[in-house]
Amino acid sequence: SVCGGYRDGLLWCTDYSSPNYKSIVYDVNGKTVFEIDGEIFEPFKNGKAVVSVPSVFENLPNKQGIINTQGKWLRKPVYESIQQLNNGYYVVRALGREEILDENLNTIVKKDSNNAWYDSKDNKMFYCLYGYYYDGLTDEPIVCKESGAQATDYFYESGYFAAKQGKDIYIFDGDGKTVCVVKNAVEIFGFDQTMFYTCAEKGTLRRETYYDYSGNEVLSLQYDYDKGYK
């Protein structure tokens, strides 16, 4: 058995030696709460978890569904994939269609597509299509209001977007409000909740410059592909 994690007062382990896998869920006292065929694929959150169940047909992919803390199916395992968003919503996919479910598993949006969905720190849902980001509910492009450029990057840790306009890169929130501007930046990368960095290369040298989200330079490093950091 492999322990999968602890959340919402429950610990779960998956036994991969059984033909269809089996997940066993325990309470804080180590008492078995329930067992279920399949692997708990996404951990419990707000009393729900995503379970992946092997197909009854050989060589076909697993199906996924959603259970509650008693092991009862809230959404039966008929989906090709289920993405659990930070704001408590879900994206479920089957037969080339997507649905967005709210925290009560009510369908709020249906789409004939198969895009990658994310949610930013302000709980604004969006997705990426052909390298550009769009609002998940309206399908409108996410645009920096100051520069007019459409978002091409997203920093998962901070929840901010980025877009290049001319020689400058604008960093902005899900509503298009500019957080900071980096002048003459070649390429930009997310780092963590407090910093990001730009990168410029010449020959075997790479210059990394780190900034906070107010646009202040915090650190500058030079990396030589032959010798390492200097």
Side-chain angles (χ1 to χ4, degrees):
S1 296
V2 177
C3 288
Y6 175 81
R7 187 183 286 178
D8 278 8
L10 298 172
L11 170 72
W12 64 95
C13 297
T14 301
D15 181 4
Y16 293 100
S17 65
S18 60
N20 294 324
Y21 305 155
K22 183 184 290 292
S23 291
I24 307 171
V25 179
Y26 305 92
D27 63 17
V28 292
N29 298 313
K31 181 180 178 181
T32 299
V33 179
F34 65 87
E35 297 182 6
I36 190 169
D37 288 336
E39 175 188 9
I40 295 182
F41 192 73
E42 292 277 3
F44 283 96
K45 186 174 185 178
N46 300 325
K48 307 177 190 68
V50 177
V51 176
S52 179
V53 178
S55 173
V56 295
F57 300 102
E58 190 176 357
N59 298 324
L60 288 182
N62 294 358
K63 296 294 185 180
Q64 296 183 1
I66 301 173
I67 61 172
N68 63 14
T69 53
Q70 287 76 49
K72 304 297 183 183
W73 289 106
L74 302 177
R75 287 273 178 150
K76 292 185 177 181
V78 297
Y79 301 101
E80 297 163 6
S81 68
I82 298 178
Q83 182 181 358
Q84 188 181 47
L85 303 179
N86 292 329
N87 60 2
Y89 285 23
Y90 295 84
V91 180
V92 299
R93 300 179 177 92
L95 302 176
R97 292 182 60 83
E98 294 177 333
E99 294 181 41
I100 302 179
L101 312 179
D102 64 17
E103 62 271 17
N104 297 314
L105 303 186
N106 298 312
T107 300
I108 57 175
V109 175
K110 290 184 178 181
K111 291 180 179 292
D112 291 317
S113 60
N114 190 21
N115 300 310
W117 287 79
Y118 310 95
D119 60 327
S120 59
K121 67 175 184 178
D122 55 4
N123 285 337
K124 188 179 184 70
M125 291 187 297
F126 59 95
Y127 61 92
C128 183
L129 182 63
Y130 301 123
Y132 292 93
Y133 288 87
Y134 296 84
D135 187 288
L137 299 180
T138 66
D139 290 328
E140 292 294 324
I142 295 178
V143 173
C144 175
K145 293 179 179 178
E146 183 176 342
S147 69
Q150 185 174 350
T152 55
D153 290 283
Y154 175 66
F155 301 155
Y156 299 91
E157 295 86 353
S158 67
Y160 291 129
F161 297 89
K164 191 166 185 178
Q165 182 73 359
K167 294 183 178 181
D168 304 330
I169 291 180
Y170 290 75
I171 298 177
F172 50 97
D173 63 19
D175 293 321
K177 182 180 178 180
T178 299
V179 176
C180 64
V181 181
V182 182
K183 299 290 186 180
N184 299 312
V186 178
E187 195 171 5
I188 198 165
F189 302 90
F191 187 63
D192 60 22
Q193 294 181 356
T194 60
M195 288 191 299
F196 64 92
Y197 70 95
T198 62
C199 183
E201 296 188 357
K202 185 176 182 181
T204 62
L205 298 179
R206 183 180 75 221
R207 170 69 65 180
E208 298 174 0
T209 306
Y210 291 78
Y211 301 85
D212 62 24
Y213 285 101
S214 295
N216 300 311
E217 184 175 327
V218 177
L219 177 68
S220 183
L221 299 174
Q222 182 170 287
Y223 181 82
D224 189 316
Y225 286 101
D226 296 329
K227 302 177 182 179
Y229 281 103
K230 294 183 177 181

